[in-house]
Amino acid sequence: MAGPGTATVQFWYDFPSPYAYLAAMRIEALADAAGVEVIWRPFLLGPVLEQRVEKPSPFQNAEPAQARYRRRDVERLAAEYGLPLTWPSNYPRFSLLASRVAVVAAAESWAAPFSRAVFHANFAQDRDIASAEVVTEILTDLGRDAAALIERAQSPENKAALRAAVEEALGHGIFGAPSLLVGTELFWGNDRLDQALAWAARANRAAT
């Protein structure tokens, strides 16, 4: 747990994002090496993208040449990082239930293993993370009471918490996933992960 005045990295992510997958599977090890604490912040990117003029998405609605490039970019990066990659047969895959469970997990400090498992299911195993069955299997594999957690995730209070996370993201100026927040400094994208961690590490060194 970070102490007063300690810089942390808030990791804002949504499960359909392949770049968030690349970042999520690496961030804890990199943060440990940098001496920085990660705060996992699940949110929904869809409502954020809806704020854009004519609602364009730079990934899903990209021009064909750009879409091909971005797909190949993810494939190259996954190979570079040594991460498995199987493109979801349904992309982008709906993930509302998983995101609601992630909100519960974040409140109880086990969002990291749950979220990594969901990303792995989606981008390494091509499993339907929109399915309650798949989410149940992931929770069970983590030793969690799946039925109770899914019930809590679907509660009005937790649904409101996820909506509030979206509003908070918008308030921070977040416009894509993954996004990393260090204090008021915003870093967007998997390719800014190292920079965000270095920024937090410098702030922590300056505070000592």
Side-chain angles (χ1 to χ4, degrees):
M1 184 66 66
T6 301
T8 61
V9 172
Q10 292 187 26
F11 176 53
W12 291 79
Y13 62 98
D14 191 12
F15 293 118
S17 166
Y19 287 106
Y21 162 62
L22 298 176
M25 305 308 281
R26 301 182 304 122
I27 190 170
E28 291 284 352
L30 293 173
D32 285 346
V36 173
E37 181 185 355
V38 178
I39 300 174
W40 291 68
R41 299 299 311 269
F43 77 118
L44 297 177
L45 186 56
V48 173
L49 295 179
E50 287 179 356
Q51 304 296 312
R52 299 180 176 186
V53 177
E54 297 180 359
K55 302 180 183 178
S57 163
F59 203 111
Q60 292 92 326
N61 296 337
E63 294 296 324
Q66 186 184 29
R68 286 192 299 271
Y69 172 82
R70 288 174 176 266
R71 181 172 178 133
R72 186 60 188 142
D73 184 48
V74 171
E75 291 168 351
R76 287 193 300 257
L77 288 169
E80 178 182 339
Y81 301 148
L83 294 174
L85 179 65
T86 300
W87 278 101
S89 51
N90 180 19
Y91 174 78
R93 184 168 269 144
F94 191 64
S95 63
L96 181 58
L97 176 59
S99 295
R100 286 173 173 166
V101 173
V103 169
V104 175
E108 298 179 353
S109 301
W110 51 276
F114 173 74
S115 299
R116 286 194 301 266
V118 173
F119 276 119
H120 183 79
N122 193 32
F123 286 105
Q125 299 175 320
D126 190 19
R127 297 168 70 193
D128 183 7
I129 60 171
S131 161
E133 179 181 357
V134 170
V135 174
T136 295
E137 290 173 0
I138 290 171
L139 288 168
T140 301
D141 288 345
L142 293 173
R144 301 285 174 175
D145 185 339
L149 284 166
I150 288 175
E151 182 177 359
R152 286 175 57 196
Q154 300 283 46
S155 70
E157 295 80 9
N158 194 65
K159 291 178 180 179
L162 182 55
R163 290 193 296 270
V166 173
E167 291 302 316
E168 184 180 350
L170 288 168
H172 289 308
I174 289 173
F175 55 88
S179 288
L180 303 119
L181 197 65
V182 182
T184 58
E185 292 289 337
L186 178 63
F187 303 82
W188 173 50
N190 169 68
D191 59 345
R192 293 295 182 267
L193 174 55
D194 290 332
Q195 186 182 24
L197 292 171
W199 191 278
R202 284 195 299 271
N204 288 335
R205 287 195 298 270
T208 60

